[in-house]
Amino acid sequence: QIGIAATMCKWTHRVVDANAITGDLREAIEQVHHYRPRPVYLELPSDVVRMPVSDAAPLIASVQHVVPELSFAQVASTAKALAAARFPLIIAGGGSCGAVVELRVLAELLGAPVGMSENGLGALDARHPLAFTQFGANKLWGKADVVLALGTRLYAPVYNWGWDEELHIIKVDIDAEELTRLPAPITGVVAEVRQFLQALIRELPHH
């Protein structure tokens, strides 16, 4: 079972000692809130359930969302690229839905259209003149010279719409593994989207 769970969960563990249950459960809870929120799996075998417990300490776990440390050098280089772009395009995925205010402010600062993936729908109000679904973003993709991808795997645009060497893709994701999955060359930024956009908005006026 734990092998199957490992293919679907970010963290898996089997409890082997009843006295370790509190510590293992604490680790499971903290793993949920570490970087990209994803399912975790904690296996409690029936024989362990029947073991006597000598440590009855209360469970204390942190539920604070741990995010990567922000690189201000990458914020500055992103601001420089966007400020110099002829046609910047923002692609917003599910990871940008916690940054709706920042996304709107950035789009308006740049005058950049925002294409939303299926998971990113609602990241920018659909009534906003810069808001587009993937169908609309498809028409804009070929015009863009700089694409800022926020919290999205970017599979559909890259695999279905294509790319060339002149297209500069900047991909921001809280999960470093997501920055290695595309065949297209990208500038990868490991960051929590809202934190990154807040810093980017402050940096843009300097470029």
Side-chain angles (χ1 to χ4, degrees):
Q1 290 181 344
I2 197 169
I4 296 174
T7 66
M8 301 178 286
C9 301
K10 67 182 289 188
W11 179 86
T12 59
H13 181 72
R14 179 184 291 116
V15 180
V16 296
D17 180 358
N19 288 303
I21 291 176
T22 300
D24 292 341
L25 184 56
R26 179 188 303 112
E27 177 66 18
I29 294 171
E30 292 180 352
Q31 283 289 338
V32 170
H33 297 280
H34 187 268
Y35 284 27
R36 181 184 177 194
R38 292 180 61 199
V40 300
Y41 176 87
L42 183 63
E43 186 173 283
L44 187 59
S46 57
D47 59 330
V48 176
V49 173
R50 292 189 290 269
M51 289 180 180
V53 176
S54 59
D55 180 10
L59 172 65
I60 301 175
S62 172
V63 293
Q64 181 179 357
H65 187 195
V66 179
V67 300
E69 184 177 354
L70 188 63
S71 168
F72 290 99
Q74 289 186 311
V75 171
S77 63
T78 301
K80 181 178 179 180
L82 290 171
R86 299 186 308 274
F87 194 102
L89 173 64
I90 300 170
I91 301 292
S96 63
C97 289
V100 293
V101 173
E102 291 80 7
L103 179 60
R104 177 184 55 78
V105 171
L106 177 66
E108 291 174 351
L109 276 174
L110 296 171
V114 178
M116 292 173 282
S117 69
E118 291 183 3
N119 291 333
L121 291 174
L124 184 63
D125 191 323
R127 295 166 295 185
H128 196 287
L130 292 172
F132 294 87
T133 64
Q134 285 201 95
F135 295 106
N138 183 10
K139 305 297 183 182
L140 301 171
W141 180 264
K143 300 179 181 179
D145 58 330
V146 177
V147 171
L148 179 63
L150 301 171
T152 173
R153 290 178 173 173
L154 208 64
Y155 287 177
V158 167
Y159 285 104
N160 298 333
W161 306 345
W163 78 93
D164 57 40
E165 294 181 356
E166 295 182 0
L167 180 61
H168 184 189
I169 300 174
I170 303 168
K171 192 170 186 292
V172 182
D173 203 288
I174 198 170
D175 188 348
E177 288 187 12
E178 290 298 331
L179 303 178
T180 65
R181 301 183 189 276
L182 294 176
I186 66 166
T187 298
V189 178
V190 180
E192 193 272 329
V193 170
R194 183 167 181 262
Q195 186 182 61
F196 181 81
L197 291 185
Q198 288 173 340
L200 182 60
I201 289 167
R202 292 192 297 268
E203 180 67 24
L204 267 172
H206 302 294
H207 296 271

